[in-house]
Amino acid sequence: MQFPGFFTGKYNNLEVPKIPPDWRILITGITSIHGWPIYNRLKQLVPQKQLLAVRSPKMDIPRGENIHPLCITDNFEFKKIKNSFNPTHIIHGAGVCDLDACEDRPEWAQSINKGGARNIVDVFGASAYIMFLSSDLVFSGTNPPQNGYSENHKADPVSVVGKTLFQAEQEITNAE
């Protein structure tokens, strides 16, 4: 999926995204499997003043002037980010996906995954485009489509992780 207003250009015969100078991009979950490569690529494409990242407060790295340790359920801190940085685009890749921990503590998993997504929608939903980076765990895999899953396939999660990530997806989708 492309962000609205996104366009590309050529660099060394490769398509390279060009991000408009008025965009301010907030990435949550930069230590996630999706968030880290996206953050690293965006660091190469936009000035630091256009990029802000959030990592779990339990993580010591990465560090940087534009990286904030913050739990995605922290409404107060996100409001501070909205007031100071005012992101136009959110790439939401934060959440919890530890299968064992989530099975042992389903309420916690729901509070982080679904509650974190709800928090992002509450704070930024009216002013920013939100893209959610979910997981294949929202599909059971019992009847995989020949060409793989897409966002148009019906979710059928079997784990707490999958169920709470699907609930997070619904929070984002319902806000659109």
Side-chain angles (χ1 to χ4, degrees):
M1 176 188 291
Q2 281 188 325
F3 279 173
F6 195 74
F7 60 99
T8 60
K10 290 277 189 180
Y11 178 75
N12 289 341
N13 293 324
L14 297 172
E15 290 290 321
V16 176
K18 296 195 187 300
I19 298 173
D22 60 335
W23 282 20
R24 289 168 313 285
I25 303 167
L26 172 65
I27 303 175
T28 68
I30 63 165
T31 58
S32 72
I33 195 166
H34 306 300
W36 184 244
I38 291 171
Y39 172 73
N40 278 317
R41 184 66 176 129
L42 284 172
K43 279 190 338 185
Q44 299 170 357
L45 298 173
V46 299
Q48 185 170 326
K49 67 180 183 180
Q50 284 182 256
L51 184 62
L52 187 69
V54 171
R55 65 171 164 80
S56 168
K58 294 182 178 182
M59 302 289 292
D60 290 333
I61 55 172
R63 293 176 186 229
E65 191 174 313
N66 66 335
I67 298 174
H68 294 271
L70 145 69
C71 180
I72 58 173
T73 62
D74 191 333
N75 186 278
F76 179 76
E77 289 298 319
F78 269 134
K79 285 180 179 175
K80 284 173 48 177
I81 287 173
K82 180 174 177 25
N83 291 333
S84 62
F85 184 67
N86 196 23
T88 58
H89 296 77
I90 313 289
I91 301 174
H92 178 40
V96 61
C97 60
D98 182 312
L99 289 168
D100 292 334
C102 291
E103 291 297 326
D104 289 343
R105 300 170 49 203
E107 298 83 13
W108 170 74
Q110 185 176 43
S111 73
I112 299 294
N113 291 338
K114 180 183 179 186
R118 175 80 257 153
N119 190 39
I120 288 168
V121 167
D122 287 346
V123 175
F124 303 107
S127 61
Y129 177 82
I130 302 171
M131 176 189 288
F132 181 58
L133 305 176
S134 184
S135 161
D136 61 349
L137 293 173
V138 300
F139 303 110
S140 68
T142 56
N143 283 320
Q146 184 176 8
N147 294 323
Y149 291 103
S150 76
E151 60 191 23
N152 297 321
H153 287 96
K154 185 176 189 243
D156 62 341
V158 294
S159 66
V160 170
V161 171
K163 290 173 185 174
T164 59
L165 288 175
F166 179 62
Q167 291 169 347
E169 286 181 9
Q170 291 176 311
E171 291 291 337
I172 303 291
T173 301
N174 292 339
E176 295 177 346

